[in-house]
Amino acid sequence: MREQSSRPEESAGRGSGDVDVVGMWVTADGHIRQELLPDGRYDEARGERRSAYTGRYTVTGNHLDYIDDTGFTATGDIRDGVLFHEHLVLYKKNQA
């Protein structure tokens, strides 16, 4: 994973050629909600359970690398405005 830059335009490990992923991403049924924060942190809620998973992420192009606060790693990719995160399909909240 890349180290995070202190430059605002590269927040969350995002370079100028990388997809802007910041915001709320949700499954079609709204059960899983993953908020990607501008500081490179994420907070994932599942059903009524807030902060079910928390950690950090980096972006390279349209690919995301996640590491949660327990050390578990995962990946995701943005394709056609949809986030494919392991077995989940998430949509930007204003697009769901």
Side-chain angles (χ1 to χ4, degrees):
M1 283 197 241
R2 294 189 317 204
E3 287 189 31
Q4 290 188 17
S5 170
S6 60
R7 296 186 326 197
E9 68 273 15
E10 292 189 13
S11 66
R14 185 177 155 257
S16 61
D18 298 332
V19 174
D20 182 8
V21 300
V22 172
M24 182 65 74
W25 295 81
V26 299
T27 54
D29 63 4
H31 181 75
I32 298 174
R33 299 164 311 281
Q34 188 178 91
E35 185 173 13
L36 300 177
L37 303 166
D39 65 355
R41 298 280 304 164
Y42 72 89
D43 190 315
E44 183 175 306
R46 293 186 172 229
E48 296 298 317
R49 186 173 170 210
R50 292 182 159 193
S51 300
Y53 299 98
T54 59
R56 64 185 190 275
Y57 71 93
T58 57
V59 181
T60 306
N62 66 341
H63 179 81
L64 289 86
D65 288 297
Y66 297 82
I67 183 164
D68 81 10
D69 292 334
T70 66
F72 180 80
T73 61
T75 62
D77 291 289
I78 304 283
R79 293 191 303 270
D80 297 323
V82 177
L83 172 55
F84 295 88
H85 172 64
E86 299 298 331
H87 66 281
L88 301 173
V89 179
L90 299 115
Y91 305 89
K92 274 271 192 143
K93 188 171 183 178
N94 61 351
Q95 297 174 353

